[in-house]
Structures are given as C-alpha cells and as structure tokens.
Amino acid sequence: MFEVVSVKWIRYVNVILRNGKVIKVKFDDHPLNEKIRSDTAKRLKMDLNEYFQGIKIDFKEYEVVFPTAFTAKVLNEVRKIKYGEVKTYKEIAEKIGTSCRAVGQALKRNPAPIIIPCHRVVAKNGLGGYSAGIEIKKELLKLE
C-alpha cells in the first residue's frame, strides 16, 4: 500500500511510504495528492508539521528503505546525530571505517532527508552539500 504525506514549509515536503516504510522524501514546489491511511502516515504528518514549527522531533521510529547495505550503514550512523547537533563527514567516516568521500556519496543517496538527518553532517571547513540545495540545508540547521 502506497501513501503520500505532504507538508508545506519553505517548499513542500512530500513523503512517499510503502507498507508503512518511508521510500522517498522530496522537496517540491507543489504538494502531491495526499493518501493517508495508516496511523504511521498520520503520525508522520503531525511530526513533520511540529518539526517545521521548531519543535524537537525524533524521527527514529520511522522505517526507511535504503538503496544499498553501505548506504544503510552510513545513514544509520547519521540517524544517531541528535537534534541541534552536527558531525563532520570525517567523524562519520571514522566511526564506520570508511572515507569522507564514501560518506558523502551515501548521503547523496539518502532517500529520506529530514527523517534521516543528513543536513546535520557538515564539512570540516563549511556546510558541505545537500541534495535539496544548500539553502534548504542552512534553513534546516537554523530551525534546529
């Protein structure tokens, strides 16, 4: 069963779920047609709305479908970064025994930004990149 949650922020944040698991989070100019059937989707919509109001929300309860085992390894480490904190690509790389570049590539494949808070990973001397654009990353960091 597919579900769609859409929340307005700076842009629309559209979340697609399959069988209760998040498969995609996209920042869009328009909302998708919502299809909310499960308690998980209802709770996610509420949590996203509260998050964008500046309320500390922990999205760890939401299951995410990862594209590869390595990406899952990196993103599960990123999930441990607490609200309002940041870690560097190097810190994540050292934790899981890989390179900064490999961490960056895995973050680029994050199917669920915000749910997996890859905006909390920064470069040693700057912000680094973000799949939805650096301005969105700045706003997410400012929000927290």
Side-chain angles (χ1 to χ4, degrees), residues 9-76:
W9 183 50
I10 292 170
R11 296 178 72 197
Y12 285 93
V13 178
N14 295 310
V15 183
I16 302 167
L17 300 100
R18 183 180 63 219
N19 299 326
K21 296 179 183 179
V22 176
I23 60 170
K24 186 78 176 157
V25 174
K26 293 173 49 177
F27 292 86
D28 289 315
D29 293 328
H30 303 286
L32 296 177
N33 290 329
E34 278 196 320
K35 292 180 185 170
I36 297 175
R37 297 181 185 117
S38 68
D39 288 340
T40 299
K42 289 175 192 168
R43 204 168 47 252
L44 179 58
K45 182 170 179 94
M46 185 179 67
D47 283 348
L48 286 168
N49 278 313
E50 288 181 356
Y51 176 80
F52 291 126
Q53 293 171 28
I55 297 169
K56 181 180 176 180
I57 299 293
D58 184 350
F59 291 100
K60 288 181 186 152
E61 73 175 89
Y62 298 101
E63 290 184 64
V64 175
V65 176
F66 299 110
T68 67
F70 179 75
T71 301
K73 183 177 181 180
V74 172
L75 296 179
N76 281 323

Side-chain angles (χ1 to χ4, degrees), residues 1 50 53 63 71 97 101 112 116 118 120:
M1 165 176 70
E50 288 181 356
Q53 293 171 28
E63 290 184 64
T71 301
R101 183 166 295 198
I116 307 285
C118 57
R120 296 178 188 157

Side-chain angles (χ1 to χ4, degrees), residues 108-143:
K108 187 174 13 174
R109 291 189 298 272
N110 180 2
I114 299 171
I115 308 299
I116 307 285
C118 57
H119 61 277
R120 296 178 188 157
V121 181
V122 298
K124 182 174 65 172
N125 297 317
L127 288 179
Y130 194 67
S131 61
I134 201 69
E135 291 306 314
I136 294 288
K137 184 173 186 170
K138 286 179 186 176
E139 291 299 322
L140 287 167
L141 291 171
K142 191 173 15 171
L143 180 69

